[in-house]
Every structure is written in C-alpha cells, then in structure tokens.
Amino acid sequence: NLKNYSYPIYISNGILSDIGLYLRNHLRSGRAIIITDSNVSNIYLQNAEDALSKDGFVVSHLVIKAGEESKNLYTVKRLLEECFDFGLLRDSAVIALGGGVVGDIAGLVAALYMRGIDFIQIPTTLLAQVDSSVGGKVGVNLDEGKNIVGSFYQPKAVFIDTSVLKTLNKREVLGGISEIIKYGIIKDESLLNFFETNLEKILNLDDDMMRYLIKRSCEIKSDVVSKDEKENNIRAILNYGHTIGHALESITRYKKYIHGEAVAIGMYYAGKIALNRKYIDESYLLRIKNLLISCGLPVDYGNIDKYEIVKCIKHDKKNREGKMKFVLPIGYGNAEVFDVLEDEILNVLK
Ligand code: NAD
Ligand code: ZN
C-alpha cells in the first residue's frame, strides 16, 4: 500500500470484496452511495454493494450511461439530486466504481454536494488505476471542450483491484499501458527495462506484473503531483505525448483513437523533436518506438494533414499565449517542458 501522498492507495487482487472492512477506517459515517456506469454495474456492482453491506454500511447506487458523452453538467445535476433524495448527509460518502469517466464525474459530485463530502475511488480501468484516480483532478466537459468545468478534490482512499482488469477489452488495456510507458520515459528508465523483459507476461495481465506496474505508476504520479498539485510547472511533465495526442484526438473527433493510442503517437513524435535538439540519441528513440509497437500501440497518424495538427496545437487551452509548450525527453527516464517553434513540429511531422 502506498502512503507517500495524503491518502492511501491500496493495490491488491480481489480487494473489492473486502472494501467494507477497509472503509470503516476511512469514512465518518455508514452511509454511502456508489456511482458507477452501465457496463461496470453489470459486472461489479453487486460485489461492491455486498462488500459494503456485510460491514454494516447503508449503501445505494446510481448508474450513469457508460461513455464520455455522460461526462457533463446535466449528469452532475441529476446525480446531486439523487444523492439528496437518498438522504446523503454531510458525513456521508460518494464511492466511484468505474473508469476515468465515472471517477471524474463522481469526484465532482462529491466536491459539490453540501460543499464537499467524503470521496472514495475504486478505479476499474487500467487508465483510471494508473492515472485518473490519482492526483485529485475531477470534472466534466462542456460542448466547448473537454474537462473545462472541474476542481481539485482528493479522495479519502483509492482501492485498486487488479482482478477487474480481466474483463476490460484489449484496447482499453493498451490505453493504460501507454500511460505507464509514459511514466517510464519521463521519470524511470528501469520501468522501460521492466517492460522489455516481461512484455509477454504484462500483455497477459499477469497479476504480479500488473501490481508492480500500477504501484510504480501511482508512485510516480503522486510524486510529481505532490510537488505541484495545481499544475504550475512540474506537473506538466505528465503531459508528455499529450500535445500531439490531443490534437489527433480532436481532429478525428475522438472516434479514431482511444486516448492512450493518440498519446503513444504523440510520445513518438515529441521524441523526434527531442532527437533533433540532441536531447536524446537515435537508439533511445528507436527503443521507445519498438516498445510501443511491440505492445500493439500505434506510432503513426496515417494521412492527417500536418498543418491541421499544428493549428490544433495552437488552439489547445494549454497554449493560449501563442507559445507552444512541449514536454520533451532529455536523456533516459527524464523530461522537461520546453517552448517549441512551429517549424520544429512541422519538421518532424510527415
Ligand atoms: P471510461 O471510464 O469511459 O471506461 C472505458 C470503458 O470501459 C467504459 O465503457 C466502461 O464502462 C468500461 N469499463 C470500465 N471498467 C471496466 C471493467 N473492469 N471491465 C469491463 N469494462 C469496464 O474511460 P477511461 O479510459 O477509464 O477514462 C477516460 C476518462 O478519464 C476521460 O474522461 C478523461 O478525461 C479522464 N481522465 C482524467 C484524469 C484525471 O486526472 N482526472 C486523467 C486522465 C484521464
Ligand atoms: Zn493521458
């Protein structure tokens, strides 16, 4: 269990069946509501509710339609009203059971309800386990853009059950793998070695492997975030691969790539910019490329127009002042934020 941040992160196979026991130490009252989505509820809701009620919790659930389309203020309003109807009080808790969509929405609901009640995360996608459940960002989308409305709101505890990964589809697993490789490139070269040595086991979701990767990822993210909770500077290195990645997602209207796939392509191309600046050598970039490919992740964006990619990067909310910020690897297992010129980007794109 990880305790280097302000709340504990429990990682274990099958922990979902024991959450009642653990939660007694973290929650102020016995009243809680589980927020989950229409896929996860079919597989894990019963288990979670049983685990809570057998330890004396009075628990109910709210189910949202699975998918990013639910991540909006209408869903938040409905959930807040339902929390009130269930009789949630100031000392009650909201429990997020699901992927990043559920976690982001439920966290916002917990932050807003009666000015903030206890919040627990039970992330069920690999992406949520290694990324969105750690760091305290919660929020929803507007039609105008993703994650425009939100807050920083830390959970009381995070419970990561590696056994739930078995029901996740392959593509969703790879989306999480992409973020883990990102942590290796920006902070920990040994994580890349670990991938190269154990690739087959990892891709088969071997439990020891997954527990190690999730633990290291949460450590790295907690570490970066705790130095810079509100994203001024240091935290920005977590955006490695995301500048071009977001542009690709947005140009293809979030239909062609899942997030981690777009990030994989973005990491490769940001690596090319770093290579041109001689921050890394050619063999290291090739190593990154080969690792991504052998995991089954893309490193190529097909025939998307490079001028459109650059235009999109310029409009990104993180680049409002006209400068284009890029996270670039410098040496092995290290990265920093740099201002990059338009021509440098165009030079590496096709
Ligand atoms: P998601 O929550 O939509 O989950 C993906 C799909 O997997 C959904 O259909 C879901 O129902 C299903 N699913 C979840 N767990 C499952 C399981 N164990 N077995 C079978 N199916 C399961 O997507 P995601 O990739 O987890 O999260 C993406 C969201 O996370 C985005 O909205 C993004 O903005 C957000 N995010 C937030 C942060 C943050 O710091 N708060 C960081 C990264 C991403
Ligand atoms: Zn990401």
Side-chain angles (χ1 to χ4, degrees):
N1 305 336
L2 277 172
K3 278 207 172 126
N4 64 334
Y5 202 49
S6 53
Y7 51 86
I9 300 171
Y10 300 92
I11 306 167
S12 119
N13 185 310
I15 200 170
L16 185 60
S17 310
D18 297 322
I19 41 166
L21 209 65
Y22 288 92
L23 279 180
R24 295 226 304 246
N25 301 323
H26 293 292
L27 297 181
R28 288 174 290 164
S29 89
R31 189 174 280 266
I33 201 150
I34 297 173
I35 297 182
T36 187
D37 77 20
S38 48
N39 293 331
V40 178
S41 64
N42 288 330
I43 326 177
Y44 300 111
L45 180 58
Q46 189 66 51
N47 191 352
E49 284 198 314
D50 289 350
L52 288 164
S53 37
K54 85 173 177 222
D55 273 289
F57 281 89
V58 179
V59 54
S60 182
H61 60 261
L62 304 173
V63 181
I64 60 173
K65 191 165 165 282
E68 185 76 25
E69 303 73 44
S70 291
K71 212 176 121 173
N72 58 54
L73 284 169
Y74 302 101
T75 305
V76 171
K77 176 172 185 283
R78 175 174 75 80
L79 292 174
L80 288 168
E81 287 161 355
E82 288 177 348
C83 286
F84 186 80
D85 293 341
F86 174 61
L88 277 205
L89 301 170
R90 300 211 47 180
D91 62 358
S92 306
V94 167
I95 301 175
L97 174 70
V101 167
V102 165
D104 281 10
I105 298 172
L108 188 61
V109 168
L112 294 173
Y113 190 74
M114 296 187 172
R115 297 195 185 82
I117 63 174
D118 288 349
F119 176 44
I120 299 290
Q121 288 262 32
I122 310 177
T124 63
T125 62
L126 186 58
L127 180 112
Q129 296 184 342
V130 301
D131 189 353
S132 61
S133 69
V134 181
K137 282 189 186 179
V138 299
V140 295
N141 307 328
L142 293 183
D143 290 340
E144 283 74 9
K146 283 198 58 168
N147 301 318
I148 304 282
V149 180
S151 186
F152 288 94
Y153 199 68
Q154 305 292 351
K156 286 276 179 278
V158 181
F159 295 90
I160 298 179
D161 188 338
T162 45
S163 74
V164 305
L165 297 174
K166 298 276 187 287
T167 54
L168 206 57
N169 76 44
K170 186 89 193 156
R171 223 175 151 195
E172 295 291 348
V173 171
L174 289 184
I177 295 283
S178 179
E179 301 279 1
I180 303 175
I181 293 173
K182 176 191 80 179
Y183 293 127
I185 299 170
I186 63 172
K187 271 282 171 198
D188 181 8
E189 194 211 350
S190 75
L191 210 46
L192 303 178
N193 296 327
F194 187 83
F195 261 99
E196 288 155 345
T197 315
N198 302 298
L199 193 64
E200 207 184 306
K201 281 187 180 171
I202 293 170
L203 296 179
N204 285 322
L205 299 178
D206 173 277
D207 203 64
D208 289 339
M209 298 294 143
M210 295 321 285
R211 281 205 320 275
Y212 176 75
L213 289 176
I214 293 166
K215 177 170 166 283
R216 262 318 274 149
S217 299
C218 291
E219 272 169 0
I220 293 171
K221 182 156 182 190
S222 312
D223 195 44
V224 171
V225 170
S226 65
K227 290 187 183 126
D228 178 20
E229 216 168 84
K230 299 276 162 81
E231 186 153 338
N232 298 313
N233 193 11
I234 307 166
R235 187 173 180 153
I237 69 164
L238 297 168
N239 291 330
Y240 176 54
H242 284 60
T243 308
I244 289 176
H246 282 150
L248 295 173
E249 284 183 282
S250 148
I251 291 167
T252 56
R253 303 195 181 280
Y254 297 89
K255 293 209 169 77
K256 180 162 183 199
Y257 304 107
I258 66 164
H259 176 69
E261 291 170 340
V263 169
I265 301 170
M267 290 194 288
Y268 175 58
Y269 280 92
K272 283 187 152 203
I273 297 174
L275 174 65
N276 281 347
R277 289 188 174 201
K278 300 196 165 57
Y279 292 169
I280 58 172
D281 55 38
E282 191 133 28
S283 63
Y284 184 59
L285 182 60
L286 189 64
R287 184 176 166 207
I288 292 173
K289 183 184 183 187
N290 286 338
L291 177 57
L292 294 169
I293 291 173
S294 52
C295 286
L297 285 161
V299 291
D300 188 318
Y301 55 84
N303 53 10
I304 297 170
D305 178 21
K306 66 176 174 179
Y307 294 96
E308 207 181 335
I309 296 176
V310 170
K311 195 172 108 192
C312 200
I313 292 171
K314 280 187 179 162
H315 285 100
D316 195 299
K317 66 175 179 209
K318 295 198 172 71
N319 294 311
R320 277 281 161 84
E321 282 103 51
K323 285 182 187 154
M324 289 192 275
K325 297 250 181 253
F326 259 81
V327 181
L328 300 178
I330 33 173
Y332 308 141
N334 191 22
E336 268 176 37
V337 183
F338 295 95
D339 287 323
V340 164
L341 301 172
E342 185 168 340
D343 276 348
E344 289 185 272
I345 307 171
L346 287 170
N347 276 339
V348 299
L349 297 173
K350 293 177 289 179

